[in-house]
Structures are given as structure tokens and as C-alpha cells.
Amino acid sequence: MDCLFCKIVNGDIPSAKVYEDEYVYAFKDINPNAPVHVLVIPKKHVADSIDCANCENAEVLTKVLLAIPKVAALCNLTNGYRVITNVGEDGGQTVKHIHFHILGGEKLPVKLA
Ligand code: 5GP
Ligand code: ZN
């Protein structure tokens, strides 16, 4: 499958690793929007939250969600952080492998929700 984030998980494209376990990989965003900007993804290819609707992928998603506070702790985000997942065209998703942005390291601007 021609997927950028699958290539990063496989090591075919280099990345700055922050965290890794059996199911999850986290790495620094190449174009950071905050002092800390890390992407947390499942190692298994799942396109988006719609693709997570079947039980098998729901388990993968749970692993990713449980890893997020661990990644935040590794990044010393003791004063809080924001988690964002963009879905589909209207959500502005550019990479079709589900990912959660962790943003922090400063008081974040523009709260949409
Ligand atoms: P999206 O816009 O789909 O929610 O987020 C995709 C993110 O992937 C963007 O923030 C973008 O900067 C990041 N990104 C795109 N290509 C690469 C890459 O090759 N390496 C890394 N580390 N991040 C990337
Ligand atoms: Zn993928």
C-alpha cells in the first residue's frame, strides 16, 4: 500500500521517534504547529475513524488512545496539551492513515471545540 505513514512505521522513510510499542508509533511532526507537535498512529494501516468502525480496528484505536498520555508524559507536557484528529475532506485530513496530533508546550491559540 502506498501510504506515507506505513512507510514511516516500516522505517522506509526516516522519522524522529518519540514512542513505540507493539501497536503504536509516535513521531515528531515534520512541520510543527506548536513547540511540541507529535503524531500518534497505529502501526496497522487504518484510514480514518470510519475505517475504525469494525471491531478489529476498534481495538487498534484503543491502543493508540491509551498511548497518548504516555507520549504526553515523555514530552513533559505537565501543564496540559491538545489532541486533534482531522477526518476526511472537511476535517482537512491530508494523510489517509489515522493519526492523532498531540500539541503542547505553550498556551495553545484558537479553541474550536
Ligand atoms: P493531517 O493534515 O492529515 O491531519 O496531518 C498530517 C500531518 O503529517 C501534518 O501535520 C504534516 O506536517 C505531517 N507530515 C506530512 N508528511 C510528513 C513526513 O514525511 N514526516 C513527518 N514526521 N510528518 C509529516
Ligand atoms: Zn498506512
Side-chain angles (χ1 to χ4, degrees):
M1 183 181 301
D2 190 25
C3 169
L4 175 68
F5 286 175
C6 283
K7 287 177 184 162
I8 284 178
V9 167
N10 292 332
D12 297 332
I13 292 175
S15 64
K17 180 169 87 172
V18 175
Y19 172 85
E20 181 175 17
D21 65 28
E22 190 180 347
Y23 303 96
V24 178
Y25 189 73
F27 56 104
K28 292 183 184 173
D29 196 295
I30 204 166
N31 185 22
N33 290 320
V36 175
H37 188 169
V38 174
L39 301 172
V40 188
I41 67 174
K43 288 184 170 176
K44 179 183 175 187
H45 182 85
V46 176
D48 54 31
S49 57
I50 299 159
D51 199 18
C52 282
N54 75 63
C55 293
E56 199 187 335
N57 287 343
E59 192 187 345
V60 167
L61 185 59
T62 302
K63 304 285 188 192
V64 175
L65 293 176
L66 290 173
I68 286 173
K70 295 182 193 172
V71 175
L74 286 170
C75 295
N76 297 312
L77 296 175
T78 51
N79 206 40
Y81 56 92
R82 190 174 293 163
V83 179
I84 295 173
T85 183
N86 298 317
V87 182
E89 190 65 27
D90 282 1
Q93 183 181 9
T94 58
V95 180
K96 309 298 183 199
H97 180 133
I98 195 168
H99 50 282
F100 293 81
H101 300 253
I102 297 180
L103 296 151
E106 67 180 7
K107 182 86 176 169
L108 297 167
V110 190
K111 203 161 167 287
L112 292 178

